[in-house]
Amino acid sequence: MTQYKTIDDLGDLNGKVVMLRADLNVPMNEKFEVTNTARIDRTVPTIKELMRKGAKVVVTSHLGRPEGKGDMANSLSHIVKDLEKSLGKHVVFVDDCIGPHVEEAIKNMKQDEILLLENLRFYKEEKKGDENFAKELVKPIDVYVSDAFSTAHRDHASMVAAVKLRPAAFGRLMEEEVNALSKGLNDPKRPLIAIVGGSKVSTKLDLLNNLVKKVDKLVISGGMAHTFMKASGIDTVNEANSLVQMDMIDTAKEIMATAKANNCKIVLPLDVVVSKEFKPMAEHKTVDLDHIPAEGWSLLDVGEKTIAAINAELDESKTLVWNGPLGVFEMKPFDNATNKVAEHAADLTQAGKLMSVAGGGDTVSALANAGVENKFSYISTAGGAFLEWMEGKELPGVVVLKK
Ligand code: AMP
């Protein structure tokens, strides 16, 4: 972490008021109960470390997509209980994130408790990256710690403008995430392999264009592979039986040409699982590419030959970056390829042979469904930020903390 500022660069924090921009954007049910506390639990080590260093910790976050101030469905007050439970300390909730209530609460803070401020996005200025709002936010604090990697691709006031106004650093979570992602793409051990799946080519163009210039091997699977198969002359793939995007054929050809020019090997499906209906346990069969039925069946997964080929490529790789499922993983048995390749990657990782990083969108649930969520080197829960990083873009919330 020599490149970015971390908590270790902040000096003595004893007695200082430290604002922690966390990601507490947790899912809740209709009774406003938190249904998955992962983001809370992952923030707690940074809070504890700051408290151990004698800092007065003031936590801020966004939650959901509030319509404006007073949208109680998106109030961070709903998470106080879970934060207290995970932290083991008293949490004082403040019904605003700027202004006199916050200043008063900081003045009255007791040892061994923290403040949790109301949703930053109750102010539209937050998303606009407004500097005056950032000034108000940091007015009562001494030091700023930025720990919300999942929002790092946004130029929001709490992610960029506020960071510039006080001595600032990454929190441990952001540090861990940036470290893992750097090892995955920026400074990887080679051969480096990427697996990209998911539904459509059109949503992943930037990602594919960046990857073919950086990785040694690119596995393309899922619905998006259908366009690449068609582009490479597999005529049995058509609009009736697959997700092929005919208007993307030329683009797919260009991506394959760029790959060739950059010595990137593209790995496409060798066989596919076709299904009579789009529902779990529908009638299905595995067929070679020249036997894909022209109609009445849909390509929902890749077959055992493809799985074996991908796994063999993994055996010959040192680093893996993965985004997107290989098939329709939400329905059995069309999660087969995703599960088998995920298990193999997990085994190689556990054996110390592979550094594996995955993330973005459905990838986290696909890998959880495969039961490997704790067996990869790193699984990023940050959707958009992870994808933009895979696209090779600079993330404003990360760049701002370059030394
Ligand atoms: P994305 O958000 O682009 O990563 O796409 C994820 C979605 O792609 C998942 O919901 C999968 O069910 C879907 N998907 C993967 N493979 C296929 C396929 N062969 N046919 C239809 N949908 C697919």
Side-chain angles (χ1 to χ4, degrees):
M1 264 292 124
T2 45
Q3 222 189 332
Y4 299 98
K5 291 183 212 158
T6 71
I7 292 176
D8 302 322
D9 298 306
L10 288 175
D12 186 9
L13 294 176
N14 197 20
K16 300 246 170 85
V17 180
V18 178
M19 179 167 275
L20 175 67
R21 173 30 163 132
D23 173 15
L24 300 175
N25 184 27
V26 288
M28 290 189 296
N29 62 20
E30 62 288 346
K31 289 191 213 146
F32 305 118
E33 292 159 344
V34 178
T35 51
N36 182 337
T37 59
R39 284 184 161 160
I40 297 175
D41 300 335
R42 292 183 77 193
T43 299
V44 160
T46 302
I47 300 179
K48 281 190 174 158
E49 181 176 348
L50 294 170
M51 290 180 90
R52 264 199 316 276
K53 292 190 151 104
K56 293 179 177 172
V57 184
V58 180
V59 181
T60 64
S61 178
H62 70 283
L63 177 67
R65 297 202 160 92
E67 295 295 330
K69 220 173 158 183
D71 176 1
M72 288 314 284
N74 288 303
S75 169
L76 277 163
S77 60
H78 301 305
I79 74 146
V80 170
K81 263 197 297 170
D82 293 279
L83 181 56
E84 281 190 328
K85 197 164 151 210
S86 185
L87 182 63
K89 307 266 184 211
H90 185 220
V91 174
V92 176
F93 180 73
V94 186
D95 64 358
D96 211 338
C97 59
I98 55 171
H101 287 191
V102 180
E103 286 163 33
E104 193 62 27
I106 291 177
K107 257 191 234 138
N108 295 333
M109 261 179 107
K110 296 195 192 78
Q111 275 274 313
D112 234 34
E113 67 184 18
I114 66 159
L115 297 189
L116 173 65
L117 308 188
E118 184 55 287
N119 196 342
L120 290 161
R121 291 193 189 163
F122 277 9
Y123 289 88
K124 57 182 184 326
E125 291 85 350
E126 159 67 358
K127 279 182 140 183
K128 289 185 181 154
D130 187 278
E131 204 148 321
N132 289 325
F133 175 71
K135 280 186 188 150
E136 286 297 311
L137 193 64
V138 302
K139 203 163 131 196
I141 63 135
D142 304 310
V143 174
Y144 201 86
V145 174
S146 183
D147 214 15
F149 180 77
S150 55
T151 323
H153 57 315
R154 305 280 184 223
D155 196 3
H156 295 172
S158 67
M159 294 309 300
V160 179
V163 179
K164 295 181 185 162
L165 296 170
R166 291 286 181 273
F170 283 170
R172 295 301 183 202
L173 195 55
M174 182 94 119
E175 180 182 342
E176 184 189 28
E177 191 111 21
V178 171
N179 252 335
L181 302 196
S182 300
K183 274 191 218 147
L185 264 193
N186 306 26
D187 188 19
K189 281 198 185 141
R190 291 185 182 268
L192 165 62
I193 184 168
I195 297 180
V196 181
S199 49
K200 297 206 162 170
V201 184
S202 48
T203 58
K204 296 204 178 161
L205 281 181
D206 288 347
L207 186 131
L208 292 167
N209 274 315
N210 183 44
L211 288 180
V212 289
K213 290 180 205 135
K214 286 197 174 152
V215 307
D216 303 301
K217 298 177 260 191
L218 173 63
V219 175
I220 303 178
S221 190
M224 61 190 302
H226 307 161
T227 306
F228 282 88
M229 290 158 81
K230 188 87 178 172
S232 47
I234 312 293
D235 282 331
T236 47
V237 171
N238 63 42
E239 282 170 297
N241 63 17
S242 77
L243 288 185
V244 62
Q245 288 179 280
M246 294 308 289
D247 56 340
M248 285 282 144
I249 297 282
D250 286 343
T251 309
K253 282 184 182 162
E254 279 164 29
I255 291 172
M256 290 193 285
T258 312
K260 200 165 178 200
N262 286 278
N263 281 326
C264 166
K265 177 179 177 185
I266 300 241
V267 180
L268 290 176
L270 301 172
D271 56 351
V272 291
V273 180
V274 293
S275 170
K276 272 239 150 164
E277 286 169 279
F278 194 85
K279 66 172 198 196
M281 303 314 289
E283 185 187 345
H284 61 278
K285 57 184 180 184
T286 303
V287 292
D288 287 338
L289 303 184
D290 51 354
H291 284 97
I292 301 173
E295 55 189 306
W297 299 76
S298 309
L299 281 66
L300 296 191
D301 198 9
V302 292
E304 295 296 334
K305 284 183 195 162
T306 310
I307 295 170
I310 299 173
N311 285 348
E313 295 292 353
L314 287 174
D315 288 337
E316 303 298 317
S317 303
K318 294 225 164 66
T319 306
L320 162 68
V321 183
W322 185 340
N323 170 262
L326 304 189
V328 184
F329 76 97
E330 298 94 334
M331 304 192 303
K332 287 200 178 310
F334 310 109
D335 57 350
N336 181 53
T338 305
N339 293 350
K340 286 197 173 145
V341 172
E343 280 161 22
H344 192 65
D347 288 346
L348 291 170
T349 306
Q350 295 299 310
K353 294 180 182 159
L354 185 74
M355 141 87 191
S356 51
V357 182
D362 283 337
T363 315
V364 183
S365 8
L367 296 185
N369 181 58
V372 302
E373 67 268 56
N374 298 317
K375 297 182 186 156
F376 270 48
S377 311
Y378 198 78
I379 296 186
S380 171
T381 49
F386 183 87
L387 284 178
E388 290 202 14
W389 169 81
M390 270 185 95
E391 288 164 5
K393 293 187 181 141
E394 288 210 311
L395 310 183
V398 169
V399 177
V400 71
L401 281 165
K402 259 199 180 143
K403 274 188 185 166

PDB file of all heavy atoms in Angstrom, residues 172-190:
ATOM      1  N   ARG A 172      -9.539   0.262   6.503  1.00  0.00           N
ATOM      2  CA  ARG A 172      -8.927  -1.047   6.241  1.00  0.00           C
ATOM      3  C   ARG A 172      -9.629  -1.839   5.158  1.00  0.00           C
ATOM      4  O   ARG A 172      -9.020  -2.622   4.448  1.00  0.00           O
ATOM      5  CB  ARG A 172      -8.879  -1.860   7.542  1.00  0.00           C
ATOM      6  CG  ARG A 172      -7.982  -1.268   8.609  1.00  0.00           C
ATOM      7  CD  ARG A 172      -6.544  -1.130   8.138  1.00  0.00           C
ATOM      8  NE  ARG A 172      -5.674  -0.627   9.200  1.00  0.00           N
ATOM      9  CZ  ARG A 172      -4.510  -0.034   8.988  1.00  0.00           C
ATOM     10  NH1 ARG A 172      -4.060   0.143   7.746  1.00  0.00           N
ATOM     11  NH2 ARG A 172      -3.789   0.396  10.007  1.00  0.00           N
ATOM     12  N   LEU A 173     -10.948  -1.645   5.043  1.00  0.00           N
ATOM     13  CA  LEU A 173     -11.715  -2.382   4.050  1.00  0.00           C
ATOM     14  C   LEU A 173     -11.355  -1.926   2.636  1.00  0.00           C
ATOM     15  O   LEU A 173     -11.104  -2.722   1.742  1.00  0.00           O
ATOM     16  CB  LEU A 173     -13.199  -2.111   4.323  1.00  0.00           C
ATOM     17  CG  LEU A 173     -14.204  -3.007   3.670  1.00  0.00           C
ATOM     18  CD1 LEU A 173     -13.910  -4.444   4.018  1.00  0.00           C
ATOM     19  CD2 LEU A 173     -15.598  -2.640   4.170  1.00  0.00           C
ATOM     20  N   MET A 174     -11.313  -0.627   2.455  1.00  0.00           N
ATOM     21  CA  MET A 174     -10.935  -0.039   1.155  1.00  0.00           C
ATOM     22  C   MET A 174      -9.498  -0.454   0.839  1.00  0.00           C
ATOM     23  O   MET A 174      -9.187  -0.803  -0.306  1.00  0.00           O
ATOM     24  CB  MET A 174     -11.042   1.481   1.277  1.00  0.00           C
ATOM     25  CG  MET A 174     -10.725   2.214   0.022  1.00  0.00           C
ATOM     26  SD  MET A 174     -12.212   2.569  -0.911  1.00  0.00           S
ATOM     27  CE  MET A 174     -12.189   4.329  -0.949  1.00  0.00           C
ATOM     28  N   GLU A 175      -8.634  -0.442   1.837  1.00  0.00           N
ATOM     29  CA  GLU A 175      -7.234  -0.826   1.643  1.00  0.00           C
ATOM     30  C   GLU A 175      -7.154  -2.283   1.158  1.00  0.00           C
ATOM     31  O   GLU A 175      -6.455  -2.593   0.196  1.00  0.00           O
ATOM     32  CB  GLU A 175      -6.490  -0.677   2.976  1.00  0.00           C
ATOM     33  CG  GLU A 175      -5.037  -1.039   2.910  1.00  0.00           C
ATOM     34  CD  GLU A 175      -4.356  -0.929   4.276  1.00  0.00           C
ATOM     35  OE1 GLU A 175      -4.892  -0.267   5.192  1.00  0.00           O
ATOM     36  OE2 GLU A 175      -3.285  -1.542   4.423  1.00  0.00           O
ATOM     37  N   GLU A 176      -7.911  -3.159   1.835  1.00  0.00           N
ATOM     38  CA  GLU A 176      -7.910  -4.577   1.488  1.00  0.00           C
ATOM     39  C   GLU A 176      -8.422  -4.776   0.050  1.00  0.00           C
ATOM     40  O   GLU A 176      -7.846  -5.519  -0.738  1.00  0.00           O
ATOM     41  CB  GLU A 176      -8.824  -5.300   2.484  1.00  0.00           C
ATOM     42  CG  GLU A 176      -8.874  -6.787   2.328  1.00  0.00           C
ATOM     43  CD  GLU A 176      -9.965  -7.421   3.216  1.00  0.00           C
ATOM     44  OE1 GLU A 176     -10.966  -6.761   3.528  1.00  0.00           O
ATOM     45  OE2 GLU A 176      -9.811  -8.561   3.574  1.00  0.00           O
ATOM     46  N   GLU A 177      -9.491  -4.079  -0.270  1.00  0.00           N
ATOM     47  CA  GLU A 177     -10.119  -4.228  -1.581  1.00  0.00           C
ATOM     48  C   GLU A 177      -9.187  -3.739  -2.697  1.00  0.00           C
ATOM     49  O   GLU A 177      -8.956  -4.432  -3.677  1.00  0.00           O
ATOM     50  CB  GLU A 177     -11.439  -3.446  -1.605  1.00  0.00           C
ATOM     51  CG  GLU A 177     -12.289  -3.721  -2.794  1.00  0.00           C
ATOM     52  CD  GLU A 177     -13.574  -4.483  -2.470  1.00  0.00           C
ATOM     53  OE1 GLU A 177     -14.014  -4.475  -1.301  1.00  0.00           O
ATOM     54  OE2 GLU A 177     -14.134  -5.082  -3.379  1.00  0.00           O
ATOM     55  N   VAL A 178      -8.614  -2.553  -2.513  1.00  0.00           N
ATOM     56  CA  VAL A 178      -7.722  -1.994  -3.542  1.00  0.00           C
ATOM     57  C   VAL A 178      -6.483  -2.877  -3.697  1.00  0.00           C
ATOM     58  O   VAL A 178      -6.017  -3.127  -4.810  1.00  0.00           O
ATOM     59  CB  VAL A 178      -7.351  -0.529  -3.199  1.00  0.00           C
ATOM     60  CG1 VAL A 178      -6.260  -0.007  -4.124  1.00  0.00           C
ATOM     61  CG2 VAL A 178      -8.588   0.361  -3.291  1.00  0.00           C
ATOM     62  N   ASN A 179      -5.973  -3.391  -2.580  1.00  0.00           N
ATOM     63  CA  ASN A 179      -4.828  -4.311  -2.621  1.00  0.00           C
ATOM     64  C   ASN A 179      -5.132  -5.546  -3.440  1.00  0.00           C
ATOM     65  O   ASN A 179      -4.352  -5.941  -4.306  1.00  0.00           O
ATOM     66  CB  ASN A 179      -4.539  -4.805  -1.200  1.00  0.00           C
ATOM     67  CG  ASN A 179      -3.281  -4.189  -0.671  1.00  0.00           C
ATOM     68  OD1 ASN A 179      -2.412  -3.790  -1.439  1.00  0.00           O
ATOM     69  ND2 ASN A 179      -3.187  -4.102   0.631  1.00  0.00           N
ATOM     70  N   ALA A 180      -6.277  -6.166  -3.145  1.00  0.00           N
ATOM     71  CA  ALA A 180      -6.649  -7.412  -3.822  1.00  0.00           C
ATOM     72  C   ALA A 180      -6.847  -7.163  -5.315  1.00  0.00           C
ATOM     73  O   ALA A 180      -6.387  -7.928  -6.160  1.00  0.00           O
ATOM     74  CB  ALA A 180      -7.917  -7.986  -3.212  1.00  0.00           C
ATOM     75  N   LEU A 181      -7.519  -6.071  -5.639  1.00  0.00           N
ATOM     76  CA  LEU A 181      -7.796  -5.786  -7.039  1.00  0.00           C
ATOM     77  C   LEU A 181      -6.517  -5.428  -7.792  1.00  0.00           C
ATOM     78  O   LEU A 181      -6.356  -5.777  -8.964  1.00  0.00           O
ATOM     79  CB  LEU A 181      -8.831  -4.662  -7.163  1.00  0.00           C
ATOM     80  CG  LEU A 181     -10.181  -4.924  -6.483  1.00  0.00           C
ATOM     81  CD1 LEU A 181     -11.221  -3.963  -6.992  1.00  0.00           C
ATOM     82  CD2 LEU A 181     -10.666  -6.348  -6.692  1.00  0.00           C
ATOM     83  N   SER A 182      -5.588  -4.772  -7.132  1.00  0.00           N
ATOM     84  CA  SER A 182      -4.317  -4.442  -7.783  1.00  0.00           C
ATOM     85  C   SER A 182      -3.554  -5.717  -8.100  1.00  0.00           C
ATOM     86  O   SER A 182      -2.986  -5.867  -9.178  1.00  0.00           O
ATOM     87  CB  SER A 182      -3.456  -3.554  -6.885  1.00  0.00           C
ATOM     88  OG  SER A 182      -4.143  -2.375  -6.609  1.00  0.00           O
ATOM     89  N   LYS A 183      -3.548  -6.663  -7.145  1.00  0.00           N
ATOM     90  CA  LYS A 183      -2.859  -7.938  -7.392  1.00  0.00           C
ATOM     91  C   LYS A 183      -3.528  -8.697  -8.533  1.00  0.00           C
ATOM     92  O   LYS A 183      -2.901  -9.465  -9.237  1.00  0.00           O
ATOM     93  CB  LYS A 183      -2.892  -8.798  -6.132  1.00  0.00           C
ATOM     94  CG  LYS A 183      -1.757  -8.492  -5.186  1.00  0.00           C
ATOM     95  CD  LYS A 183      -1.700  -9.565  -4.115  1.00  0.00           C
ATOM     96  CE  LYS A 183      -1.336  -8.969  -2.779  1.00  0.00           C
ATOM     97  NZ  LYS A 183      -1.949  -9.639  -1.656  1.00  0.00           N
ATOM     98  N   GLY A 184      -4.839  -8.489  -8.684  1.00  0.00           N
ATOM     99  CA  GLY A 184      -5.578  -9.205  -9.716  1.00  0.00           C
ATOM    100  C   GLY A 184      -5.293  -8.706 -11.118  1.00  0.00           C
ATOM    101  O   GLY A 184      -5.104  -9.495 -12.029  1.00  0.00           O
ATOM    102  N   LEU A 185      -5.263  -7.410 -11.322  1.00  0.00           N
ATOM    103  CA  LEU A 185      -5.123  -6.915 -12.702  1.00  0.00           C
ATOM    104  C   LEU A 185      -3.921  -6.008 -12.933  1.00  0.00           C
ATOM    105  O   LEU A 185      -3.328  -6.049 -13.990  1.00  0.00           O
ATOM    106  CB  LEU A 185      -6.373  -6.138 -13.126  1.00  0.00           C
ATOM    107  CG  LEU A 185      -7.449  -6.886 -13.901  1.00  0.00           C
ATOM    108  CD1 LEU A 185      -8.429  -5.904 -14.508  1.00  0.00           C
ATOM    109  CD2 LEU A 185      -6.883  -7.760 -15.012  1.00  0.00           C
ATOM    110  N   ASN A 186      -3.576  -5.187 -11.950  1.00  0.00           N
ATOM    111  CA  ASN A 186      -2.543  -4.184 -12.202  1.00  0.00           C
ATOM    112  C   ASN A 186      -1.144  -4.769 -12.109  1.00  0.00           C
ATOM    113  O   ASN A 186      -0.252  -4.401 -12.837  1.00  0.00           O
ATOM    114  CB  ASN A 186      -2.689  -3.009 -11.234  1.00  0.00           C
ATOM    115  CG  ASN A 186      -4.091  -2.429 -11.264  1.00  0.00           C
ATOM    116  OD1 ASN A 186      -5.037  -3.127 -11.603  1.00  0.00           O
ATOM    117  ND2 ASN A 186      -4.241  -1.169 -10.944  1.00  0.00           N
ATOM    118  N   ASP A 187      -0.980  -5.718 -11.174  1.00  0.00           N
ATOM    119  CA  ASP A 187       0.347  -6.276 -10.980  1.00  0.00           C
ATOM    120  C   ASP A 187       0.237  -7.781 -10.713  1.00  0.00           C
ATOM    121  O   ASP A 187       0.657  -8.277  -9.677  1.00  0.00           O
ATOM    122  CB  ASP A 187       0.989  -5.545  -9.779  1.00  0.00           C
ATOM    123  CG  ASP A 187       2.435  -5.920  -9.618  1.00  0.00           C
ATOM    124  OD1 ASP A 187       3.028  -6.414 -10.588  1.00  0.00           O
ATOM    125  OD2 ASP A 187       2.965  -5.750  -8.500  1.00  0.00           O
ATOM    126  N   PRO A 188      -0.342  -8.519 -11.658  1.00  0.00           N
ATOM    127  CA  PRO A 188      -0.640  -9.937 -11.389  1.00  0.00           C
ATOM    128  C   PRO A 188       0.540 -10.862 -11.655  1.00  0.00           C
ATOM    129  O   PRO A 188       1.434 -10.531 -12.431  1.00  0.00           O
ATOM    130  CB  PRO A 188      -1.748 -10.227 -12.399  1.00  0.00           C
ATOM    131  CG  PRO A 188      -1.414  -9.347 -13.558  1.00  0.00           C
ATOM    132  CD  PRO A 188      -0.755  -8.114 -13.005  1.00  0.00           C
ATOM    133  N   LYS A 189       0.484 -12.025 -10.995  1.00  0.00           N
ATOM    134  CA  LYS A 189       1.403 -13.100 -11.380  1.00  0.00           C
ATOM    135  C   LYS A 189       0.808 -13.725 -12.635  1.00  0.00           C
ATOM    136  O   LYS A 189      -0.395 -13.981 -12.698  1.00  0.00           O
ATOM    137  CB  LYS A 189       1.453 -14.152 -10.279  1.00  0.00           C
ATOM    138  CG  LYS A 189       2.329 -13.745  -9.129  1.00  0.00           C
ATOM    139  CD  LYS A 189       2.687 -14.973  -8.301  1.00  0.00           C
ATOM    140  CE  LYS A 189       3.448 -14.555  -7.084  1.00  0.00           C
ATOM    141  NZ  LYS A 189       3.094 -15.312  -5.899  1.00  0.00           N
ATOM    142  N   ARG A 190       1.622 -13.996 -13.642  1.00  0.00           N
ATOM    143  CA  ARG A 190       1.115 -14.559 -14.896  1.00  0.00           C
ATOM    144  C   ARG A 190       1.437 -16.043 -15.003  1.00  0.00           C
ATOM    145  O   ARG A 190       2.361 -16.494 -14.353  1.00  0.00           O
ATOM    146  CB  ARG A 190       1.720 -13.770 -16.061  1.00  0.00           C
ATOM    147  CG  ARG A 190       1.149 -12.374 -16.088  1.00  0.00           C
ATOM    148  CD  ARG A 190       1.610 -11.575 -17.274  1.00  0.00           C
ATOM    149  NE  ARG A 190       1.056 -10.242 -17.197  1.00  0.00           N
ATOM    150  CZ  ARG A 190      -0.101  -9.863 -17.755  1.00  0.00           C
ATOM    151  NH1 ARG A 190      -0.824 -10.713 -18.433  1.00  0.00           N
ATOM    152  NH2 ARG A 190      -0.530  -8.623 -17.648  1.00  0.00           N
TER     153      ARG A 190
END
